[in-house]
Each structure stands twice: as structure tokens, then as C-alpha cells.
Amino acid sequence: ACPAPATHPTPFVGTRGGRKIAHVVADKARAFADGVTVFSGKVVLTYGTETVHAQRIRFNRRTNAFTAIGHVRVTNAQGGELRAHYLHMNRATGRGVARAVRFVLPGSNARGRAVMVILRSRHKSDIKDTRYTMCPEGTKVWYIDADRLHLNYTKDVGIATNARVYFHGVPIFYWPYLSFPISSKRKSGFLPPRYGTASNSGIMLSIPYYWNLAPNYDLTTTPEIMTRRGVLFRNHFRYLGLGYSGSDRIDYIPVDRVYGGPRYALHIAHNQVFNPYWWASINYNRVSDPAFYTDFSANFALASQIDLPQLGAVGYSGRHLRLQVTSSAYQLLDTSIGAAYKPYEELPGLFLNARGTAKPNRLHYRLKASAARFLGGGTPPADRLDLEPALSYPWRWPAGFITPRLAVRETDYWIAGQPTIHRTTPIASLSDGLVFERTLKGGGRQTLEPELSYLYVPYRNQQGIPFFDTAPAPFTYTNLFRTNSFFGPDRQVDANQLIAGLTTRLYSSTGRERLRASVGEIYYFHKPSIYATYQTRVLNRTSDLAAEAYARLSRHWYVRGSLAWNPNNDQTDEGDAYVEYSPKPNAIITVGHRYIRGVQEQVDVSLQWPVLTHWSTLVETSYSLMQSASLESYLGIQYNSCCWGLGFYVGKTLGLNNTQFTTAMFEFTLNGLGALGSAPVVPLSQHGFMLGY
Amino acid sequence: HTHQLAQPLSVRADNIQVDERTGMSVYLGHVRIVQDGLTVHADRVRVHSLHGHVLSIHARGTPLHMEDQKTGGLPLFGTALTLDFAAAPDEVTLTGHVVFHQGVNVLHGHIVHYYVRSQRITAVRGAHKRVRARIVPHSRAPQAGSGH
Amino acid sequence: CGFHLRSAHEFALPASLSVLRVRMPSSGLKYPGLVLVVRHALEDRGVRIVDHRKAPTVVLGGEMMNPVVVTLNSNGGASAYLLDYAVTFSLVGPGGRLLMAPRTVRVQREYSFNPENVLAMAREQSYLERRMRLSAARQIVWALATYKGPPAVAAAPHKPHAP
């Protein structure tokens, strides 16, 4: 691993010792009447936390200055060090001069040589004709020659003038003016520039600049110069206060030559807590045109967004009462969904959730209520009131539970102010379960939890109700036990069915859940007459079998999967599986497979593996078997020694509306000085995930 | 008895043994030598003089004390095991755990030469102990170049 | 095969954790969603939940809910997300002494959605988030059940509280 830089950013030659008593040890001393004493022979002068070693030191008590000559070495308690042939220091004023200097800057691992160092004050020093590098001891793969290097420790900035960068002795860069942080503290300044090419934007160079405006807010502006399009200004403003925080992004390109005109993207996120009970949040996004993210983002997640949320919410979170007032709207980006479809907007929506005690073996009452006004979707404004009071009695004992529950769902609609549809349905359920346990050798425990639940909901004709915010729930184990197989109140499924489930869990001796596997099925006494149109499968007496499993087999293996299997025709209707193997922190291989009968089949493979000592490879691909086309693939090679790094990435991504774009990114980093190039947000970090076990 | 050495030098002790033939006289017990501003308190002093002129003085103490009031500045105090007035007019040599104090500044050495008239001090390390000094900068920040 | 109905002993938490407080300082709210769910999971196991400082405290923090795109539909739009939820918890004695070192609990759920009704997708995501918090709460309770340390309550005689 690379040596960590010394952490304390203090001047390598401390001069705070103005008042402090000086202690000297030497072989010989000659004191003169005028207050000057000359020490010689392995002289060691210490004051405060500084120590000066030299062959000869002339100390003037009256002017409080000293001159050290011959193998001068100055160190301070914070790891700063300076070696020189000659050093004159006025301790009262803090000014001094050193010649033939070799120095190490704490905080930034920078070390170098200089003809002369002028120590301006306690916190400022100028290094003349210097050659320095950030490479750790022993290696000098790259170094910088600069006429002048000014260090200001209060501002934590090093400024080099006429800096020439040499790499293996070859001059590769010249900066008339180069500033770099000399400490880890946040500091305004240039962040590593990024250089790359993308098929839809040409050659790109982006140079982020970070404004450390205040301890609790900062701004990063990144002009991104693209040869085919123009200059896109990305701005990211973050702020943090007592009880509130936020992050806003404003990307704006005055003229996009390919698009022919200005384009922008807006993202505003704000979260606030007024007091321990009241909170508010905003998540507002807007783009000038649907293709913005596919054109300007090598970021796989952004490029595949279908709708941009424009949400606002104010809420009260009490112990028994939860209240929320929201406004939800979305900007549609996926133009393929059909011109007629325009998402409803819920302006406003009121949600209320009140419940009594949650202690077991007691009568529980609960009220879920929502009132909403829906706009858009080609219909006049519609209002909806949905109330679901419920009574239940969770009877629990160590080995199981029995919970009878009775609820009545009352839903009323007003279209353009006129009451139209009214629906009242009782919902009755009785669920019970047992818990079997056994202790495993090694102290772990395994449970076996059978569960049985009966649900009865009478049929109500709901043909006339539009789907405002309701859609069928995918068929998974988690959704088996819902009292409504639709998300949202616009459909309440009729039911006369028995749901059976079996879950097993494996716990280690320290209580970590190592494995959870569940399987379940529904037996229909009476087939439901309301079910999702897409459920083209004829509903038989029994539903598909739904199974899912999560297992951390060992410290290195992780497996996750789910399945919907039709026992009648022995066909899998839906399933996904994911395997991850990670023997070392920076070595990981993951394989994923997803299948929805007739709709989608996709395989994802990703690999990040160290090769030799400093190299690592990066491969990631998602392949759609249904369309026999690669949705997205990346290849990367990285070299990183403690001193410098080189990375090369090439990728092809399918964006929205079947836009295909390829990107090639190149990154050359001189550690400590910033990267000359760009590493994209490697999609691997989104697919593969390092589990925090 | 007081003996002259370039400057008037007086030596006082509990008792004195004088050997006229060798010109050597030994002073024993609470010996005090005074010469101009310089005063030495020692246990035993041997004075070697010829024809009434003092060639050398050798003092010994556990430790002996030396004091110089006429330094043109702060008085100078020194302690050591032995002290020698060499033939040279104003050089005093102290040896053995020598410690010099002047105001708050301190100097330790094995052998220390003190040149009284020029107020110069030279300290040299011993076999085991190096020269050590404690220097306190002037309290008033000195105006540039305005020397004390 | 060794399975037996869970006994009262296996079901209950250690006696020293019979009274607990649950807090999530990082959220600023007194009852964020996870705090309520953990309280109910503990009450389900017979633990008495209190709000005063004299009881050991389950400290929750670092809640992270991160949707990750996992599949694209034929048109390149996201068609399935992986919800990656993580939270850390630790157990702190009344004096502030750390009784159980911080540990991270992680829960994932994949969900595919019908792109034609995005308001419904938001409902599905919030339903899954509630289910994942339930699963995280269960894992936290299981970890607390393995606490073998000394009685967490301060040595001072603990006077029974008025009911």
C-alpha cells in the first residue's frame, strides 16, 4: 500500500519559538560580550517543538537570531523536515533564509530540493529554483521543476510559478501558474481535469473547479468542452445547516451545435427537519429535452431514466400519527411509451396513518386514509378519498402467532367535482404461523417458519375507475401476503384464497443473518375476477410458486435469487439470480441473470480483478438474450503505483429511445497533483456491490 | 596577606603555609581571592610567585565559586572544581563540572576559559559531558540593529 | 432433524435488555420510520420500550436507501431496480459505554415495474422500503438476542418504575 502522507499541515520550519528558551548542546561554545555565542561540533539547538542540528550555530541572544552552517537539519513535532547547508533564522520576526535545501512538506507527501528558501513569516515561505515530487521515498518517476514555489499554510495552498512537469525525465507539461493543496482540508482549487471522447459529443475536456465558499456550503463548477457540441457548464451546489441539507445541480449549455440551441438540466434536492416531529423535502428535476441525459451522461443510471420526479412533501411523524401532504408530478422522457400516455399528477395528495398500540396480545386499531386530486391523463381533474380502518388482534406466543384482521375499505371518486364512483369492500383475513428452531454446531441457529393466511374480499365492479396511481404488483414472495395484489387504491382485488408460505433463516452465533429462503403459493377457493391484464396466464386453482433466497455463504460468496414457477406446465414465468465472489477488497466477480417470460431475458457479468502488483482489469457487460444485443458493456485497464496512475476505459451504452453511444476515457494521474483524464462513473460500482458484512 | 598580580590581588584564608625557597604558598580553609571585580571562594589555593611576582594561582573547591561584578553588564557567576590564573594577564581557566550563570543564561562545560577583560568565554566538552547552554532571548523585541 | 417449537427462552431477549430505548440521532426526527419498526419488533419480543436515559439504548444511524438500475427494457429505459438498503446499529449502556460494537445490516430487494404508471411505481418503492425496514429490524433484534455482556443497567439499584 502507499505510505500515507503526514497529516498535520504545519510549516516545515517552525518559527513560533520567538519567546521560547533555547537549549543548546555542543562540543564547544565561545560566548562573546555582545550576546553572541558560537557553538561547534555536532550542535543541537532545540526550542519549543523545533530542533536544529548543525555542525556550527552562531546564536545572537540580543537579536534572537541564529545562523546554522553545515549539514543543517530542522525537524518539528508535526513531521516537517528541512535539510540545508546554510540557514539563518530570526526567531522574533519568523523571517529566515536557507540555502541548498532538501524539504518534506507534511500533509501532502511533497518532497524536493531547492537552491534557496525564504521564510517570510510564521506561515509563509518561498522556495526558489526547486525540484519537487509527490512520489513516496525512493521513487522519482515524475517531478516538477519550478522557478518559485510559494507555500501559504494559513490558506493551505502551494503555488508554483513556471512549473515544468517531467515524467521519467521527459518534460510533459508546463504551467505558468499551478496551485495545489498542501493539506487535506477542503480548499478551493482545481480538481483533477477529465479528458475523453464520446461518439455523440466528440473529444471532451472538463476542468472542475471547487469553491470552498464556507464550512457548510460549497460549489463545484465544471466547464465541459466538447468538440462537437460546445461548452456545457455543470454546477453542483451543496449546503448543510442545522436540521436542513440540500444538493442542487444546474447543467446548462448555451448553444449545443448538434442539437442546435440551448439545453439545460435541473436537479434540486432539499431535506429539512423543523423539529422532532415536522419535516419537509423537495426533489425537483427538469430537463430542456428528453435526450439531455442520454447525450451528456456517461452515467448509465441517468441515461436510462424514464420519468423525472418533481416531488414536494411536508410531513408530521409522531409515534401514533403519521401525516404527509405531497405534490407529485413527473416529466416523461421515454417517448416510446406512446404519445397518448401522459402520467397523472397528484396535486396535492394527503396521506394519514394512525395506529394504536403495537404491543402483542392486545386489540390493535389502525386507520390508513388518503385524499388526492389527480390532474392530466386526458381526463378532467378527479378527486379521490380512500379510507381503510382496520381492527386486528395479534395473538403471539414464543412459538407462533394467530392474527385475525377485519378492515373496511371505503373509496369515493369525484370527477370534475361530481361524485361518480363509490366502492366499499370489507377485507377479512386470518393469518397464523409457527416458528421451529434448532441450534447448529458452532453456535448458529436455524429457523423454519410455516405460515398460512386466509383472505376474503368480495367482488366489486371497478371497471369505470381509471388507473390514477395504481398498477399490479409483480408476482414475488413478498407480495403474496398483500391484502390487495395491486399497488394503489384504484383496484381492490376480490379474493377467497389461502396463502401458504415457508421461510427458513440461518443465523451465525453473533446473530448475523447468513441465509433467508422462502417459498409460497396461493390456493384459490374462488378465482379472482380482477387481475392484471398482463397476467395472461390463465389463473388455475393454484398460483405460481413464488420463491426467493438471499445467502452470504462465506466471507467471499454472496448469492441472491427469486423465482415464479408454474407447477402446472412446469414453466418458469419470472426469475432472477445473482452470484458474487469477492476474495479480496479490490477483486470481485459478479454474474446476474434476469428472465420474464416473453418480455425480457438479460445476463450481466462484471469483473474487477488485480493483475500483477499495480495493474487491475475492469470488465462489465449486460447482454439481452431476447434482443441478442448488448445493452451496455465496459472494458477498463488500470495501472496505479503510489506515485502515478494510468487508466483507460472504453464503453458502449444503450441510452433511452434506442440511442447507442460509445465512450472512451483516458486518465493519467500524478498522485497528489490530480488526474489528467477522466474515469467515468464505472457502472460496475452500481452493479457489483460490496456488502458491508 | 594581599599579593599583587598586574592588578591588586588579595588572598585571605584561615591559615597559610609559605615555602620561601620554592616561592610556593598554600592557603587553606575559606580561602577568598579578590582581584579587581573578580572574587573567588575556594577550599584550597596554591600560589606560585617569584621575586614577589605571582606566576600562577591554582584554586580548588567542592565546588569553588567565582564571581565577576565588573562585566559592563549583568554579573557573571561560575562554579567549578578547580580554577587557575594562568600567567597571561586576564585568562582564568575553570575545570570540572563548570557552570556559568549570567542573568537567566547558563553555560555548562568541562573546561571553561574566561577572558576577563574582553568578557569572552570559551567552553569545551569533557570526555562524557558535552557543552550545554540555556539561552533566553531578550524580553523586549530588539529594534532592528539596535544592539544592547 | 433437531427442529423444535421455539421456546420462551429462545424467544426472549437477555434479561439485561428487558428495558430498552431506541434512538436515531442522525435523523433529527424523534420517530423516523425505522425507529418505530425497531420499537415494535422489540415489543413483539416482550421488551419494554422507554424514553429516559437510564436504560441501555439501541442507536441507529447511517440509513442508506440506494436504488440501482439493474435491467433496461428493449427501449433502453430502466425496467428493474435493485433497492440496496443499509443501516448501522450499536448498543450503548446508560453511561454511554459501548456494549455492542456498531454493525451494518444490509437488505436488498429487486423490483421490476410497469413504466406506464410512474405514480404506482413510487407506491411500490415505498411499500418495498417499509418491508426492507421490517427485515432490517428483525435482523437487529436477532443480533441483540445474542448479547452476552454484563447487565447493561448501571450498578445503582434500579428502582422499579411506576406502571
Side-chain angles (χ1 to χ4, degrees):
Chain A
C2 303
T7 51
H8 306 287
T10 50
F12 56 83
V13 172
T15 56
R16 280 185 302 279
R19 282 284 161 281
K20 290 211 168 42
I21 295 166
H23 295 275
V24 189
V25 178
D27 289 346
K28 191 174 179 214
R30 278 180 293 116
F32 300 90
D34 58 5
V36 169
T37 311
V38 176
F39 298 92
S40 50
K42 294 202 295 298
V43 184
V44 180
L45 160 65
T46 51
Y47 49 84
T49 60
E50 270 89 37
T51 308
V52 181
H53 300 263
Q55 286 174 335
R56 192 164 163 276
I57 291 185
R58 182 179 178 281
F59 196 99
N60 184 327
R61 182 159 46 91
R62 287 202 177 75
T63 61
N64 194 5
F66 69 85
T67 308
I69 295 161
H71 299 307
V72 180
R73 187 165 69 87
V74 183
T75 55
N76 63 21
Q78 284 78 25
E81 185 180 277
L82 172 135
R83 293 163 184 270
H85 174 66
Y86 165 89
L87 167 68
H88 172 75
M89 176 70 68
N90 181 324
R91 291 176 48 215
T93 61
R95 276 196 294 275
V97 174
R99 295 187 198 290
V101 179
R102 292 211 326 279
F103 57 85
V104 172
L105 298 191
S108 65
N109 233 346
R111 57 192 177 78
R113 282 184 295 106
V115 169
M116 184 165 72
V117 172
I118 303 167
L119 303 158
R120 292 214 176 291
S121 76
R122 281 172 175 65
H123 302 295
K124 285 201 184 84
S125 40
D126 276 336
I127 305 175
K128 294 275 191 247
D129 303 326
T130 175
R131 163 172 298 186
Y132 69 93
T133 178
M134 306 275 194
C135 285
E137 207 64 47
T139 66
K140 193 163 280 181
V141 174
W142 67 268
Y143 52 83
I144 292 179
D145 278 353
D147 293 353
R148 178 169 168 269
L149 175 59
H150 172 70
L151 300 177
N152 183 327
Y153 278 90
T154 39
K155 295 204 182 79
D156 289 317
V157 68
I159 300 162
T161 44
N162 292 337
R164 303 167 297 285
V165 182
Y166 290 81
F167 181 69
H168 280 303
V170 176
I172 57 166
F173 230 83
Y174 167 77
W175 274 295
Y177 169 92
L178 163 72
S179 90
F180 59 92
I182 43 176
S183 79
S184 49
K185 278 208 290 275
R186 280 190 323 169
K187 182 196 78 54
S188 300
F190 285 101
L191 295 176
R194 290 171 172 274
Y195 168 81
T197 59
S199 58
N200 50 11
S201 304
I203 296 173
M204 298 190 297
L205 177 65
S206 61
I207 306 156
Y209 189 83
Y210 174 79
W211 309 81
N212 181 21
L213 302 172
N216 63 339
Y217 57 89
D218 58 26
L219 170 67
T220 308
T221 48
T222 310
E224 194 165 302
I225 302 143
M226 289 171 265
T227 50
R228 290 185 56 202
R229 289 180 182 278
V231 180
L232 168 70
F233 295 95
R234 292 180 188 272
N235 302 289
H236 182 200
F237 178 66
R238 297 182 310 169
Y239 56 92
L240 186 67
L242 197 60
Y244 65 87
S245 70
S247 154
D248 308 333
R249 288 174 190 276
I250 301 156
D251 301 346
Y252 173 68
I253 176 165
V255 176
D256 177 340
R257 289 195 295 274
V258 172
Y259 179 79
R263 302 170 79 184
Y264 65 84
L266 202 62
H267 164 71
I268 295 174
H270 175 82
N271 294 298
Q272 184 147 5
V273 170
F274 300 105
N275 60 38
Y277 296 96
W278 287 94
W279 55 271
S281 78
I282 298 170
N283 177 7
Y284 183 83
N285 299 276
R286 186 171 179 73
V287 283
S288 54
D289 57 284
F292 184 91
Y293 281 123
T294 48
D295 289 347
F296 291 123
S297 160
N299 178 327
F300 169 67
L302 284 177
S304 59
Q305 283 182 129
I306 291 178
D307 303 275
L308 292 183
Q310 298 172 343
L311 313 172
V314 175
Y316 172 84
S317 297
R319 201 171 131 206
H320 295 291
L321 177 65
R322 322 276 286 182
L323 203 62
Q324 200 170 332
V325 179
T326 65
S327 94
S328 315
Y330 290 82
Q331 181 180 7
L332 178 66
L333 298 185
D334 186 343
T335 51
S336 74
I337 292 184
Y341 167 73
K342 186 171 175 323
Y344 283 104
E345 290 174 355
E346 184 188 48
L347 301 164
L350 174 75
F351 297 86
L352 181 138
N353 194 328
R355 63 188 311 168
T357 174
K359 292 192 175 62
N361 307 324
R362 241 169 268 207
L363 187 63
H364 284 199
Y365 71 84
R366 182 170 191 175
L367 172 64
K368 268 202 293 193
S370 77
R373 157 157 297 190
F374 295 100
L375 306 172
T379 62
D383 298 334
R384 180 187 67 200
L385 179 66
D386 175 43
L387 300 171
E388 187 179 347
L391 279 177
S392 62
Y393 191 97
W395 187 51
R396 161 174 282 290
W397 74 97
F401 66 91
I402 296 179
T403 307
R405 180 177 184 272
L406 178 65
V408 175
R409 183 167 215 169
E410 162 77 29
T411 315
D412 300 301
Y413 293 84
W414 291 266
I415 309 286
Q418 299 308 324
T420 53
I421 301 156
H422 162 75
R423 182 193 69 200
T424 309
T425 48
I427 301 170
S429 68
L430 175 67
S431 46
D432 47 64
L434 292 172
V435 178
F436 295 92
E437 271 202 23
R438 66 174 175 179
T439 323
L440 306 169
K441 54 181 172 32
R445 277 158 80 172
Q446 182 178 9
T447 71
L448 200 59
E449 299 164 53
E451 195 172 342
L452 206 58
S453 181
Y454 172 71
L455 178 65
Y456 172 72
V457 181
Y459 167 73
R460 293 291 181 269
N461 183 334
Q462 300 166 47
Q463 290 308 331
I465 306 176
F467 286 87
F468 294 116
D469 61 352
T470 299
F475 187 82
T476 64
Y477 180 78
T478 313
N479 296 335
L480 276 185
F481 292 89
R482 287 174 54 81
T483 56
N484 182 10
S485 63
F486 276 75
F487 286 115
D490 298 334
R491 284 297 179 283
Q492 173 56 55
V493 171
D494 57 308
N496 181 357
Q497 60 200 32
L498 196 66
I499 306 122
L502 181 66
T503 297
T504 181
R505 296 177 216 277
L506 211 65
Y507 287 93
S508 70
S509 53
T510 59
R512 282 185 206 281
E513 187 174 82
R514 281 272 178 258
L515 173 138
R516 183 177 69 76
S518 309
V519 63
E521 192 178 30
I522 302 177
Y523 182 79
Y524 301 102
F525 294 122
H526 175 266
K527 270 192 286 183
S529 40
I530 296 176
Y531 52 84
T533 47
Y534 79 80
Q535 281 170 313
T536 53
R537 300 188 296 282
V538 173
L539 283 175
N540 309 304
R541 265 281 169 258
T542 61
S543 75
D544 279 5
L545 205 68
E548 62 181 36
Y550 301 82
R552 169 154 286 289
L553 304 173
S554 79
R555 238 162 50 77
H556 308 309
W557 287 90
Y558 175 74
V559 176
R560 175 170 54 82
S562 73
L563 182 72
W565 176 69
N566 187 330
N568 303 38
N569 52 26
D570 187 16
Q571 277 180 331
T572 302
D573 295 327
E574 225 175 297
D576 66 79
Y578 174 86
V579 177
E580 178 193 306
Y581 172 63
S582 164
K584 301 197 287 280
N586 50 14
I588 179 169
I589 180 165
T590 71
V591 178
H593 173 265
R594 267 163 211 84
Y595 170 77
I596 303 171
R597 174 183 296 286
V599 173
Q600 169 64 267
E601 181 164 11
Q602 184 178 321
V603 173
D604 307 321
V605 176
S606 62
L607 166 79
Q608 178 173 349
W609 213 261
V611 175
L612 306 174
T613 50
H614 291 302
W615 290 87
S616 72
T617 58
L618 222 58
V619 177
E620 201 273 329
T621 181
S622 302
Y623 188 81
S624 162
L625 298 166
M626 199 67 77
Q627 300 157 293
S628 61
S630 151
L631 301 173
E632 185 253 348
S633 50
Y634 261 90
L635 175 68
I637 305 155
Q638 257 175 345
Y639 171 82
N640 203 335
S641 75
C642 299
C643 189
W644 61 285
L646 185 69
F648 183 74
Y649 311 91
V650 61
K652 187 161 69 66
T653 305
L654 175 69
L656 211 51
N657 310 329
N658 267 329
T659 52
Q660 270 283 17
F661 58 91
T662 54
T663 52
M665 294 293 173
F666 161 79
E667 182 177 73
F668 174 74
T669 325
L670 298 179
N671 283 11
L673 200 52
L676 306 180
S678 73
V681 176
V682 180
L684 178 68
S685 63
Q686 295 161 25
H687 277 267
F689 34 79
M690 312 307 290
L691 282 184
Y693 280 79
Chain B
H1 299 263
T2 58
H3 284 253
Q4 301 308 325
L5 174 72
Q7 293 292 337
L9 172 76
S10 73
V11 187
R12 217 191 42 203
D14 292 350
N15 56 66
I16 311 163
Q17 299 156 2
V18 180
D19 176 345
E20 291 297 339
R21 194 172 52 73
T22 59
M24 191 70 77
S25 43
V26 177
Y27 300 76
L28 284 170
H30 301 95
V31 185
R32 190 169 75 100
I33 314 169
V34 176
Q35 192 220 352
D36 201 3
L38 200 63
T39 313
V40 177
H41 296 272
D43 300 341
R44 181 175 175 287
V45 174
R46 200 182 67 238
V47 176
H48 180 214
S49 53
L50 191 60
H51 312 308
H53 288 288
V54 173
L55 298 179
S56 73
I57 300 174
H58 175 68
R60 191 181 292 282
T62 53
L64 63 85
H65 291 274
M66 183 205 85
E67 186 186 320
D68 184 354
Q69 292 296 347
K70 289 180 64 185
T71 64
L74 296 169
L76 182 68
F77 300 93
T79 60
L81 296 180
T82 67
L83 179 144
D84 289 281
F85 279 94
D90 70 348
E91 181 188 346
V92 177
T93 303
L94 298 91
T95 57
H97 301 298
V98 182
V99 181
F100 264 53
H101 288 269
Q102 189 168 32
V104 286
N105 300 304
V106 179
L107 181 63
H108 298 257
H110 179 60
I111 301 167
V112 178
H113 301 283
Y114 171 47
Y115 304 94
V116 181
R117 203 176 317 102
S118 66
Q119 289 296 299
R120 237 169 9 88
I121 303 168
T122 303
V124 181
R125 62 168 296 169
H128 310 295
K129 283 188 69 182
R130 303 188 66 196
V131 168
R132 280 183 301 111
R134 176 175 184 272
I135 307 175
V136 177
H138 268 266
S139 54
R140 277 182 293 94
Q143 282 62 38
S146 75
H148 174 65
Chain C
C1 52
F3 277 112
H4 56 274
L5 275 173
R6 177 157 63 182
S7 66
H9 171 67
E10 285 163 327
F11 177 64
L13 261 62
S16 56
L17 303 185
S18 57
V19 178
L20 280 176
R21 179 169 69 140
V22 182
R23 284 184 66 240
M24 190 173 191
S26 59
S27 117
L29 292 173
K30 193 157 195 286
Y31 297 109
L34 184 63
V35 165
L36 280 187
V37 169
V38 170
R39 285 170 65 116
H40 297 158
L42 289 168
E43 280 168 338
D44 216 36
R45 291 279 193 119
V47 172
R48 188 159 63 87
I49 300 295
V50 293
D51 274 339
H52 56 69
R53 292 178 188 286
K54 289 196 285 298
T57 307
V58 178
V59 180
L60 306 165
E63 194 174 33
M64 181 202 80
M65 179 68 73
N66 183 13
V68 172
V69 179
V70 287
T71 48
L72 301 179
N73 58 29
S74 53
N75 180 35
S79 69
Y81 278 89
L82 170 77
L83 270 180
D84 186 358
Y85 175 74
V87 68
T88 54
F89 72 94
S90 58
L91 184 65
V92 172
R97 200 160 47 85
L98 193 63
L99 302 176
M100 221 172 180
R103 187 190 296 190
T104 302
V105 169
R106 202 162 202 143
V107 184
Q108 278 111 22
R109 287 287 189 282
E110 259 199 31
Y111 74 99
S112 52
F113 60 91
N114 175 345
E116 300 207 349
N117 194 322
V118 72
L119 287 179
M121 179 181 100
R123 276 184 173 274
E124 174 172 10
Q125 181 163 343
S126 58
Y127 168 75
L128 281 174
E129 284 172 6
R130 286 198 303 274
R131 296 292 303 187
M132 293 160 87
R133 285 204 175 90
L134 270 172
S135 174
R138 181 191 309 113
Q139 292 187 43
I140 291 172
V141 169
W142 265 90
L144 292 173
T146 64
Y147 173 70
K148 297 185 181 58
V153 182
H158 187 58
K159 70 177 177 18
H161 284 279

